[in-house]
Amino acid sequence: MRRPVVAGNWKMNLNGQAAVELAAAIVKGGIDGSADIVLCPPNVYLMSVVDSTRASSVGVGAQNAYFEADGAFTGETSVAMLVDCGASHVILGHSERRQLLGETDAVVNKKLHAVMASPLVPIVCVGETLAEREAGKTVEVVRRQCEGAFLGISEDQAARVVLAYEPVWAIGTGKTASPEQAQEVHLDLRNWFEKRYTSALAQGIRILYGGSVKGSNAKELLSKPDIDGALVGGASLKADEFLQIIAAAH
Ligand code: 13P
């Protein structure tokens, strides 16, 4: 039985006060412990959100990390710094970073290796664009992204990873992949893990769906056998909406 994960990716939204208030409202909203709940604020609010969630089981994740340990890398944040701030998780390879900031599979792989040398749980994102889906390349693209991200990653290490399938065309567009479309790709990804590692690893790894998940569609998506939770953008900025998604995961 895979433990569900519901993670909120706040992206570059909110201010300090709003971040603390949102975290407090989610903690207060009744987390019953049957799913891993993770809030991913902008890095500058990481420590205040860690403070707001301290007395709860809610985890706090960063939205990115750099692969070097320290040095002259202006504007970047190391994995050790995130750990020092109290983070428990980190998102890697989000499509916005791949598309807008030129992050390649090779960079995602370096970041994954850096995170593996820390206690953080990585949430590795993969997903195809609309053009790739329409060209029938969805499976090829997500497999290539997985091959790239997991290069040199051992089975023990991979077992710690949470994968997120986020079709780019469904992110922030209001267009959700249908539960059937998502399930099909999740199953294919699980099969990829079985071929690349073992059946035990494939059966254990949590694969989240992301892309316009809302309170109203979460239950249907999360009821699919290979969808183990959600990585939520817009709807994670509203406590009541995010709490509905958490309830659907239970
Ligand atoms: P939306 O839920 O706003 O579509 O964003 C999904 C996402 O990118 C989460 O990482």
Side-chain angles (χ1 to χ4, degrees):
M1 185 69 182
R2 295 181 291 271
R3 187 175 158 81
V5 183
V6 180
N9 176 6
W10 294 357
K11 308 191 179 182
M12 200 174 74
N13 291 298
L14 306 174
N15 59 29
Q17 189 183 340
V20 165
E21 285 172 6
L22 178 56
I26 289 161
V27 167
K28 214 172 122 199
I31 312 288
D32 75 0
S34 60
D36 290 347
I37 311 302
V38 187
L39 307 179
C40 304
N43 275 355
V44 285
Y45 307 135
L46 207 54
M47 287 171 88
S48 11
V49 172
V50 165
D51 268 348
S52 311
T53 53
R54 202 175 291 284
S56 76
S57 61
V58 174
V60 179
Q63 300 171 14
N64 178 36
Y66 198 54
F67 51 79
E68 294 287 357
D70 50 45
F73 304 104
T74 302
E76 294 297 329
T77 307
S78 74
V79 171
M81 288 169 185
L82 298 177
V83 173
D84 193 30
C85 289
S88 52
H89 292 68
V90 59
I91 297 171
L92 297 179
H94 191 278
S95 64
E96 284 148 19
R97 297 204 57 83
R98 291 178 189 261
Q99 294 210 307
L100 305 172
L101 296 149
E103 204 159 293
T104 61
D105 289 336
V107 168
V108 176
N109 178 246
K110 280 185 174 183
K111 291 183 173 187
L112 186 55
H113 278 279
V115 170
M116 282 306 169
S118 82
L120 295 185
V121 174
I123 303 175
V124 175
C125 304
V126 297
E128 82 287 5
T129 62
L130 185 58
E132 288 163 340
R133 172 161 284 261
E134 286 175 344
K137 291 189 170 158
T138 299
V139 165
E140 180 188 324
V141 169
V142 297
R143 283 189 192 171
R144 191 199 65 221
Q145 289 169 332
C146 283
E147 295 283 354
F150 286 85
L151 200 69
I153 298 291
S154 71
E155 181 176 354
D156 281 355
Q157 291 173 323
R160 253 174 64 201
V161 176
V162 173
L163 194 83
Y165 168 57
E166 297 204 308
V168 177
W169 50 272
I171 295 179
T173 57
K175 278 191 211 158
T176 321
S178 71
E180 293 69 30
Q181 278 175 319
Q183 164 61 25
E184 196 183 343
V185 181
H186 281 233
L187 179 59
D188 191 79
L189 287 166
R190 207 173 292 291
N191 289 339
W192 179 85
F193 279 107
E194 179 163 355
K195 281 202 201 84
R196 169 70 172 82
Y197 293 100
T198 59
S199 166
L201 184 282
Q203 288 311 313
I205 195 159
R206 277 118 22 117
I207 308 180
L208 316 185
Y209 170 76
S212 298
V213 177
K214 303 187 277 275
S216 57
N217 61 21
K219 209 171 181 80
E220 222 191 331
L221 283 160
L222 300 186
S223 67
K224 290 291 175 193
D226 290 291
I227 303 184
D228 306 315
L231 179 55
V232 188
S236 72
L237 298 170
K238 295 174 212 135
D240 54 345
E241 191 80 24
F242 192 61
L243 287 166
Q244 269 184 55
I245 299 170
I246 293 172
H250 294 160

